[in-house]
Amino acid sequence: MKTTIVGIAVVGLSLTVSAATVRIVQTNSAGDNISLIDPATNKVVAEITGIEVNHGAAVAPDGSRFYFSNEADHTLDVVSGRTLAVTKKIALSGRPNNIAISKDGRHVYVSIVSGNGAVDVIDAASLERVKSITTLGGVHNTYVTPDGKYVIAGSIVGKKLTVIDGRTEEPLWTLDFDTGVRPMAFERSADGSVRRIFLQLSDFHGFVVVDFAARREVARVALPEVPADQRHTEGLQGSPAHGIGVSPDGKTLWVNSKMNSHVYAYSLPDLKLLGGVHVGDHPDWLTFTPDSKSVYIANAGSNSVSVVDVASRKEVTRIPVGQVPKRNITAVLP
């Protein structure tokens, strides 16, 4: 099934959800297609094709374009929001992983995992690579903070996160860890600035808490212990916990466990464990509806997306998608 999509905007605090239509954008890393899910029906209602080994996803604020990193061609692929066709492939400085977009939509930031590592900067007006920000180690995930002031890059090989000034696009400071840095989520202060970063590390079944202002790690939280006979040991790819997110209302933190195919919920700000939900195999990423009522978990090991009701912490359904679904984002059609 194919639909024409216009006017997509990245989920943000200023959106009026009642006047918008939400789509879950689900990449399928072992295929050449991206699934678009309607959370009102929990069905795949559209598909973007022709992007091999698609990794990260972003959407222009005005809905005119999608952006996807293409690991096969080492490009950032630009897709028309109207026709869902690839309109341009932008050459990158190396093999890409995840991507992010500035709040004004002017720049797309692409994680470069190969070589010495970098964050490539793509100008959305010219659709050209205009800069590569050097990092110490290949970058796996890049984020723009909720206030738009910083670009945050995490390196597995470099075992560090790098904080980049969003205005000058120059590195400001780094924080070292004892193992590789993987997915992150951000807790906002009352003024919208970053209060804490929650991040996952290689070979750690849990997450780390970073005080952003103090620029230091303040805690490590282990996920519930999994009995030996219930543990998944194959296909973990060095990350027993992969996929983490703060709900849009800021009330809960959700954390995936590949080790036992669960997603766990913690209350904020106290980080009290609320409970866990069994989902599909090897959950890899997650995203929320703007009203914080549902969380969508990409199950890389079972080619599906689990829909979990946040209030009851119960799986509502599983949606079949493409091969090895990983990164997903939430977008809104005005």
Side-chain angles (χ1 to χ4, degrees):
M1 180 183 296
K2 190 169 184 177
T3 61
T4 298
I5 293 181
V6 295
I8 300 174
V10 177
V11 171
L13 295 178
S14 63
L15 291 172
T16 304
V17 177
S18 61
T21 300
V22 179
R23 290 290 181 265
I24 305 300
V25 182
Q26 179 62 64
T27 66
N28 298 301
S29 66
D32 68 349
N33 67 319
I34 294 100
S35 306
L36 302 184
I37 297 167
D38 180 358
T41 62
N42 287 326
K43 303 289 186 183
V44 175
V45 294
E47 190 176 75
I48 297 167
T49 60
I51 303 175
E52 290 281 353
V53 197
N54 46 81
H55 195 125
V59 185
D62 65 359
S64 60
R65 299 174 181 141
F66 293 92
Y67 302 95
F68 299 98
S69 53
N70 182 324
E71 287 198 65
D73 297 336
H74 294 191
T75 56
L76 180 70
D77 291 6
V78 183
V79 171
S80 166
R82 183 177 61 83
T83 66
L84 304 186
V86 176
T87 59
K88 185 165 184 177
K89 298 169 74 70
I90 303 167
L92 300 169
S93 64
R95 180 165 65 89
N97 273 190
N98 209 4
I99 68 176
I101 190 168
S102 61
K103 290 179 72 68
D104 60 12
R106 293 177 59 191
H107 283 172
V108 180
Y109 300 102
V110 183
S111 304
I112 302 300
V113 73
S114 57
N116 293 326
V119 176
D120 279 1
V121 182
I122 308 301
D123 183 273
S126 65
L127 293 180
E128 300 289 343
R129 178 168 63 91
V130 295
K131 186 174 185 177
S132 289
I133 305 168
T134 302
T135 58
L136 299 175
V139 180
H140 181 46
N141 292 306
T142 295
Y143 301 85
V144 172
T145 56
D147 60 7
K149 292 183 177 181
Y150 303 98
V151 180
I152 313 292
S155 174
I156 297 174
V157 175
K159 301 178 183 178
K160 67 175 73 248
L161 68 80
T162 300
V163 177
I164 299 164
D165 187 311
R167 182 180 58 84
T168 64
E169 295 177 338
E170 295 292 336
L172 291 173
W173 53 275
T174 62
L175 185 61
D176 294 321
F177 296 90
D178 55 347
T179 187
V181 176
R182 290 179 179 267
M184 303 179 216
F186 303 90
E187 179 187 44
R188 296 185 296 269
S189 299
D191 63 0
S193 63
V194 178
R195 181 186 177 206
R196 294 185 290 185
I197 302 176
F198 307 112
L199 62 87
Q200 294 165 309
L201 297 175
S202 297
D203 303 312
F204 178 51
H205 190 234
F207 59 93
V208 172
V209 183
V210 172
D211 183 310
F212 190 75
R215 303 184 181 183
R216 64 185 179 92
E217 176 185 332
V218 294
R220 292 198 180 191
V221 179
L223 295 181
E225 183 68 22
V226 179
D229 62 348
Q230 297 178 23
R231 294 179 189 171
H232 299 168
T233 58
E234 300 295 327
L236 298 183
Q237 297 179 307
S239 55
H242 196 283
I244 189 168
V246 173
S247 59
D249 62 12
K251 294 181 179 180
T252 53
L253 173 73
W254 291 72
V255 187
N256 287 341
S257 168
K258 285 186 179 182
M259 189 177 288
N260 67 341
S261 297
H262 272 65
V263 60
Y264 291 97
Y266 292 81
S267 60
L268 290 174
D270 57 355
L271 292 176
K272 177 184 176 181
L273 177 64
L274 300 174
V277 184
H278 186 267
V279 292
D281 291 342
H282 292 167
D284 191 87
W285 209 260
L286 58 83
T287 190
F288 300 88
T289 50
D291 58 11
S292 299
K293 290 184 177 180
S294 299
V295 57
Y296 286 70
I297 295 98
N299 302 314
S302 53
N303 299 331
S304 64
V305 174
S306 288
V307 185
V308 172
D309 179 77
V310 168
S312 66
R313 295 190 297 278
K314 294 183 182 299
E315 183 182 48
V316 175
T317 189
R318 290 186 194 175
I319 306 165
V321 288
Q323 296 295 307
V324 193
K326 291 189 175 181
R327 309 298 185 267
N328 55 22
I329 62 171
T330 302
V332 173
L333 291 72

